[in-house]
Amino acid sequence: MRGELALAETSFDDLHSHGRLTALRGILDLYELTGEAKWLQGVERDWTKVVECYLLPTGGITEMFSRSNGRDEGCAVSDWLRLNLGLWRMTGKGRYLDEAERCLKNHFLYQQFAAGGSGHRPFINIK
């Protein structure tokens, strides 16, 4: 199954964050549909990896999973927000709602354009 293949990847270095987070949201959907704990456990494991290794102080995500990437991406930030809301809905764990709120209030609004769309925003290198 493709979900198992996606969860076999444990190093996210230089992966496109929007792609990876979209996969995690899909795997969370598998958990919701099947109730199989392995899907939720895999998503929670990867969530922890993102928080520990790649999360910006603002609660946002860079375009690539890399601490030297100098810009964010609206899609990835939206994915991160949606993943946290989905995890909170599935588990009831407050940490996911806290991360969603931090992302929304401290990063998501920053990367949104005046016309309402989202895109890339460059920022100072955070190495």
Side-chain angles (χ1 to χ4, degrees), residues 7 20-29 42-43 46-47 83:
L7 288 177
R20 183 61 187 185
L21 292 170
T22 298
L24 291 176
R25 288 181 28 242
I27 294 168
L28 188 60
D29 288 343
V43 173
D46 289 0
W47 179 92
L83 179 64

Side-chain angles (χ1 to χ4, degrees), residues 49-101:
K49 175 105 175 171
V50 170
V51 169
E52 290 175 351
C53 300
Y54 307 107
L55 191 63
L56 296 169
T58 58
I61 299 291
T62 55
E63 180 182 17
M64 306 295 285
F65 282 126
S66 168
R67 296 299 287 169
S68 63
N69 189 267
R71 67 183 191 173
D72 66 2
E73 180 186 42
C75 295
V77 174
S78 297
D79 289 327
W80 181 244
L81 176 63
R82 292 174 65 193
L83 179 64
N84 277 285
L85 290 172
L87 280 165
W88 171 68
R89 188 170 51 87
M90 292 292 115
T91 68
K93 294 177 183 175
R95 67 181 174 199
Y96 301 124
L97 192 57
D98 290 344
E99 284 302 325
E101 180 181 40

Side-chain angles (χ1 to χ4, degrees), residues 14-15 35 65 69 103:
D14 298 317
L15 290 180
F65 282 126
N69 189 267
C103 177

